[in-house]
Amino acid sequence: MSILRLAVPGPLRQLFDYLPPPDTSEEVLSALTPGQRVQVPFGRRELTAYLVEVAAHSHLPAGELRQAAAILDSRPLLPATLVQLCEWAARYYHHPAGEVFNAAFPQALRAGKPHRPSGEAGWRLTRRGRGLPRGALARSPRQAEALAMLQAAASLPASLVKERGIGSAVLRSLEKKQLVERCQVPPPPRTGTSRGGPQPNREQAAVIAALLAAPPGFGCHLLEGVTGSGKTEVYLRVIEHCLQAGRQALVLIPEIGLTPQTLARFTRRFDADIAVLHSGLGDAERLRAWERARDGSAQIVIGTRSAAFTPLHKPGLIIVDEEHDASYKQQDGFRYSARDVAVKRGQLEACPVLLGSATPSLESIHNALVGRYQLHRLQQRAGGAALPTMATLDVRRQELVAGLSRALLDAIEHALRANQQVLLFLNRRGYAPTLQCHDCGWVAQCTSCDARMTVHRRQRRLRCHHCGASRQLPESCPQCHSRHLLTAGLGTEQAEEVLRERFSQWPVHRVDSDSMQGRQAMSELVDEVNRGEPAILLGTQMLTKGHHFPAVGLVAVIDADAMLFSADFRGEERMAQLLTQVAGRAGRAGTPGRVILQTHYPDHPAIQAMLVADYAEQARGMLARRQATGMPPFGYLLVLRSDCRDPREGEDFLQALRERAAPELPGGISLIGPLPSPLQRRAGMFRFQLLALASERATLQAGAAVLVASVAGMRARRDLKWTIDIDPQDLF
Ligand code: ADP
Ligand code: ZN
Ligand code: ZN
């Protein structure tokens, strides 16, 4: 008996056994392979599930097994390695396997739609047809002609056959005789050759040589290269070799906004079919790109986070650019790290993985220092540009206009007059983070979160940046009806207003998620800025991610103190990464750039470190401090979170869980909590967290399994939601 063991999308962390559909032929049964989609009745619904295993026995009695409704694919759509990757991820992240498999499929296939191979509709010979000798079917000249054509090619597009004068009646008669069949004809392959590019400098050449000399198979490499050191150039060179070997390269990038630039650079370099996968695609586009990756017609696949699960026909190389970027971690639902999944994938696919960053995560640096990853460094900028010089600007007792000191305003003017571009970093969008009544002290709070609402003056709205709630900007105080409302604090919208007034001869571009709406906005702005005319760029994190703005001569961080007092254990790491990345936008072409940090704490160690040490050196200091706390990468961490409308319930739930799991937890795990999350109420839910820390990964994994199993046996209020987050990025 064949039992189908299936991953069924849904909240349950288990596989489900089904019998094959009633009329399944022996042939289909014997060909069953993990990765095939199966339609199944589940409760009162029908779902698309994924075959994980064909088993001989089920622990359920045969009478209780339901029958699957249909086997949707005659062959698995995922290669065996990707099935293994999904199973691994389900186990490692303690997430329902069906949901993990969903991440590997585009929407249409998740919904059970038939799979259609890419390419053009066409014709090819059947096995029987291939058995015919040349010159066969001589009695029917049209059929003989068609046969001869198909004997000369593996397959032909229907349009071409028609063009050559073969009507569809002829093909249909051949089809009836089972001599020809319909098929999809793949597009003619591209050569995959590279169009040159700059001569690698000495450092780059050494890294490229080391990468190419690595033994075949899996190996993980960390490329730690200062901003503008030519990391992308290194990627392009190793991809070139990968394509020459007839293999595909998968390139992960952190931001959808970077895809146009990355794609343009890759298209210029390679005569290759490049598939792009990101969340901004329509379902049909995404399906087509996925299919080209799967069937191997795309030689290069560029994508954001979820592309880590794209099937590849012949993977040869996986690159994760800006590997430190927090956006590689999915923060809801299936909480995986695309970087870590990519490394595991390289292991399963037996291909090298290259992680690159100017500011690698402490995890990856640690892995390199202990020899798990091979470390490669680029310490100079490519093409002779100098690294920018950094200085603090002490703003204590200085007059500030929209957060800008006189000295900074002068420096901006000076740079603009010297025909340079200026980049100003302010990591807060909106006009101001607080609206307050001058008469009674009322403050605009979000009704669903423990947070203030941000003033968005242009849209005349108050918005909560935590839950998305918004309401009209009040004209008067709802408490005392005074019309004397004040804003406090600074956002990009306000800074933009002041800058436009003060520097009216020059364009001011604001770059944040409010101003950059729509798919084209960012690439249009990048094109505009890359024309090189003097201008001010003012923006949030969005500005700092990988973009090249060669004409920027001055970078200023308007509020370098904003991140100084973070409670998160990654706070100092994040700050050093962000400031280094911001600074890295300066001075990329010719003129050495300047970076100014406005601060009230010029003597703070984290600010001082920015001035005297590069990121690599700072990172090694931070690692030593991290080691003292036992936090990752020196320990392994998970967070179990509860969300509930009732403020007590979530805490009680986690406390009960802690007590229930405690006797079964392996030694070497410490539990912390339950504690209220730093932002305790969000979107009307009260949030608590229970942390578990262990010095060994295996111990943490065993502990996670105990915790998840314990929850399964607990009764909780219907409106209580719990989640488990392995290797959490932020504790919030
Ligand atoms: P990164 O990815 O490290 O930020 P890039 O690869 O984008 O760096 O390179 C930064 C700039 O230097 C780009 O404009 C690139 O074309 C140029 N560049 C890279 N390598 C070289 C080289 N060997 N010679 C000249 N210019 C180079
Ligand atoms: Zn008031
Ligand atoms: Zn809110």
Side-chain angles (χ1 to χ4, degrees):
M1 191 163 71
S2 303
I3 307 283
L4 311 183
R5 194 149 288 157
L6 302 176
V8 182
L12 294 173
R13 287 169 170 77
Q14 64 171 91
L15 299 177
F16 292 86
D17 288 355
Y18 278 84
L19 293 170
D23 46 6
T24 313
S25 70
E26 225 9 83
E27 198 184 341
V28 170
L29 275 182
S30 60
L32 282 174
T33 314
Q36 275 170 292
R37 293 175 304 147
V38 182
Q39 196 75 16
V40 293
F42 193 82
R44 264 169 288 160
R45 295 188 300 159
E46 275 224 346
L47 294 177
T48 306
Y50 308 97
L51 182 63
V52 170
E53 190 188 343
V54 183
H57 303 283
S58 175
H59 62 278
L60 284 177
E64 284 178 29
L65 287 174
R66 295 181 83 175
Q67 269 174 328
I71 311 264
L72 294 177
D73 310 311
S74 56
R75 269 180 288 168
L77 297 182
L78 302 186
T81 45
L82 204 56
V83 173
Q84 288 161 21
L85 184 73
C86 291
E87 290 184 70
W88 169 83
R91 274 196 312 276
Y92 183 80
Y93 292 107
H94 298 268
H95 196 73
E99 301 284 324
V100 175
F101 275 92
N102 266 351
F105 283 92
Q107 178 49 37
L109 297 175
R110 262 182 249 161
K113 298 249 171 66
H115 169 251
R116 273 198 211 86
S118 70
E120 209 184 320
W123 295 94
R124 69 177 171 209
L125 296 178
T126 60
R127 174 117 79 107
R128 185 137 160 217
R130 287 196 298 274
L132 290 183
R134 297 209 174 268
L137 306 177
R139 277 189 300 163
S140 162
R142 303 303 287 166
Q143 291 186 14
E145 198 184 331
L147 180 73
M149 257 158 75
L150 289 167
Q151 278 172 332
S155 58
L156 289 175
S159 56
L160 186 75
V161 178
K162 192 169 164 201
E163 232 169 72
R164 295 196 194 161
I166 307 288
S168 51
V170 176
L171 288 159
R172 270 202 303 277
S173 7
L174 287 171
E175 192 181 18
K176 252 189 227 117
K177 294 183 191 164
Q178 293 183 5
L179 294 173
V180 304
E181 62 188 1
R182 288 162 207 273
C183 68
Q184 297 296 118
V185 185
R190 307 279 285 271
T191 60
T193 48
S194 158
R195 305 190 181 99
Q199 186 70 26
N201 62 30
R202 240 190 40 238
E203 273 191 326
Q204 285 170 319
V207 172
I208 294 163
L211 287 169
L212 297 179
F218 171 69
C220 191
H221 303 264
L222 176 62
L223 176 55
E224 183 179 27
V226 298
T227 52
S229 58
K231 292 182 291 297
T232 311
E233 196 50 47
V234 170
Y235 304 156
L236 292 168
R237 294 284 172 171
V238 285
I239 290 171
E240 182 183 336
H241 283 260
C242 170
L243 301 195
Q244 272 166 17
R247 305 214 152 250
Q248 293 168 284
L250 172 64
V251 182
L252 299 185
I253 55 176
E255 274 281 303
I256 169 176
L258 283 171
T259 40
Q261 277 194 320
T262 313
L263 180 61
R265 196 156 166 196
F266 278 57
T267 314
R268 254 182 277 129
R269 182 61 62 87
F270 293 110
D271 173 40
D273 182 347
I274 303 176
V276 175
L277 281 150
H278 56 71
S279 58
L281 298 179
D283 284 348
E285 270 176 305
R286 169 175 280 273
L287 179 62
R288 273 199 301 276
W290 182 88
E291 182 55 26
R292 277 156 54 220
R294 195 190 79 91
D295 71 12
S297 47
Q299 290 138 314
I300 301 174
V301 179
I302 300 175
T304 47
R305 185 172 59 219
S306 65
F309 287 99
T310 307
L312 296 169
H313 182 58
K314 271 185 163 184
L317 173 66
I318 301 174
I319 292 174
V320 183
D321 191 24
E322 310 290 356
E323 67 87 36
H324 66 282
D325 200 291
S327 65
Y328 282 123
K329 181 75 195 267
Q330 179 142 307
Q331 300 284 18
D332 55 3
F334 173 26
R335 293 172 160 78
Y336 64 96
S337 150
R339 177 198 60 210
D340 297 348
V341 166
V343 173
K344 181 67 193 179
R345 183 164 185 184
Q347 224 172 42
L348 291 169
E349 310 271 20
C351 79
V353 177
L354 175 56
L355 311 179
S357 176
T359 54
S361 61
L362 295 192
E363 278 86 350
S364 295
I365 295 180
H366 178 67
N367 279 328
L369 295 180
V370 298
R372 264 196 291 273
Y373 297 172
Q374 199 177 326
L375 180 63
H376 308 270
R377 294 183 70 174
L378 295 173
Q379 294 177 277
Q380 261 144 42
R381 284 195 154 175
L387 277 163
T389 55
M390 201 179 292
T392 53
L393 202 168
D394 185 351
V395 293
R396 283 175 296 182
R397 292 182 299 274
Q398 303 290 312
E399 187 198 345
L400 298 178
V401 183
L404 306 162
S405 63
R406 158 118 352 142
L408 178 55
L409 289 168
D410 289 346
I412 294 171
E413 174 146 8
H414 189 80
L416 291 170
R417 293 207 179 280
N419 278 331
Q420 294 178 341
Q421 291 173 347
V422 174
L423 187 153
L424 301 176
F425 177 70
L426 178 63
N427 212 11
R428 211 182 296 117
R429 64 198 170 85
Y431 187 85
T434 299
L435 181 70
Q436 194 176 29
C437 172
H438 195 50
D439 291 351
C440 77
W442 168 85
V443 166
Q445 291 274 353
C446 176
T447 51
S448 320
C449 306
D450 292 333
R452 294 179 173 183
M453 295 194 94
T454 300
V455 178
H456 287 254
R457 203 144 96 174
R458 193 159 307 167
Q459 302 163 315
R460 305 210 53 74
R461 292 196 83 73
L462 287 170
R463 291 188 182 282
C464 173
H465 289 182
H466 300 281
C467 72
S470 84
R471 56 181 196 259
Q472 217 180 347
L473 195 62
E475 302 272 326
S476 59
C477 172
Q479 199 162 276
C480 75
H481 308 292
S482 154
R483 298 182 71 84
H484 206 165
L485 296 178
L486 307 175
T487 62
L490 176 68
T492 46
E493 213 183 290
Q494 189 177 156
E496 178 192 19
E497 213 176 85
V498 168
L499 288 163
R500 272 187 200 280
E501 213 176 278
R502 162 88 200 232
F503 300 106
S504 53
Q505 314 89 294
W506 290 284
V508 176
H509 306 287
R510 173 160 63 97
V511 183
D512 57 32
S513 55
D514 298 323
S515 66
M516 291 289 117
Q517 296 275 329
R519 287 171 68 174
Q520 302 304 328
M522 193 67 194
S523 54
E524 277 166 16
L525 176 95
V526 170
D527 289 345
E528 161 73 29
V529 173
N530 281 343
R531 292 219 311 269
E533 300 297 315
I536 296 176
L537 283 153
L538 163 72
T540 57
Q541 287 218 47
M542 225 183 185
L543 255 184
T544 66
K545 293 201 175 174
H547 292 290
H548 287 291
F549 300 117
V552 168
L554 172 66
V555 168
V557 177
I558 295 179
D559 182 11
D561 304 339
M563 284 180 302
L564 271 183
F565 306 103
S566 158
D568 197 283
F569 76 94
R570 273 186 243 267
E572 65 169 356
E573 175 184 354
R574 291 260 179 266
M575 173 170 172
Q577 285 165 341
L578 191 56
L579 293 183
T580 306
Q581 294 285 352
V582 177
R585 306 306 116 201
R588 286 184 157 236
T591 46
R594 278 182 73 195
V595 181
I596 294 176
L597 307 178
Q598 284 201 144
T599 176
H600 290 88
Y601 307 92
D603 302 322
H604 191 288
I607 298 277
Q608 279 295 314
M610 291 305 305
L611 304 185
V612 301
D614 63 0
Y615 178 82
E617 201 180 328
Q618 288 187 56
R620 278 132 187 101
M622 291 189 276
L623 267 174
R625 288 193 287 283
R626 194 75 70 76
Q627 185 159 23
T629 67
M631 292 300 255
F634 297 96
Y636 298 88
L637 188 66
L638 70 79
V639 185
L640 229 140
R641 299 191 179 91
S642 69
D643 273 18
C644 190
R645 292 200 178 278
D646 183 299
R648 290 231 51 85
E649 201 73 28
E651 185 172 16
D652 292 349
F653 172 80
L654 290 183
Q655 186 58 40
L657 169 62
R658 181 181 176 139
E659 282 157 23
R660 191 185 173 102
E664 281 161 66
L665 284 175
I669 285 210
S670 23
L671 294 181
I672 306 160
L675 299 167
S677 302
L679 181 77
Q680 216 216 322
R681 193 172 53 109
R682 178 169 165 176
M685 302 289 238
F686 288 85
R687 296 138 44 86
F688 286 86
Q689 47 193 26
L690 180 65
L691 272 60
L693 184 65
S695 59
E696 300 294 328
R697 199 188 286 282
T699 315
L700 187 81
Q701 279 295 327
V706 170
L707 286 166
V708 169
S710 305
V711 177
M714 285 171 60
R715 295 180 67 84
R717 265 170 58 138
R718 280 263 308 286
D719 69 339
L720 184 143
K721 280 212 229 59
W722 70 275
T723 56
I724 186 165
D725 189 349
I726 307 286
D727 307 329
Q729 273 300 305
D730 304 285
L731 302 180
F732 54 81

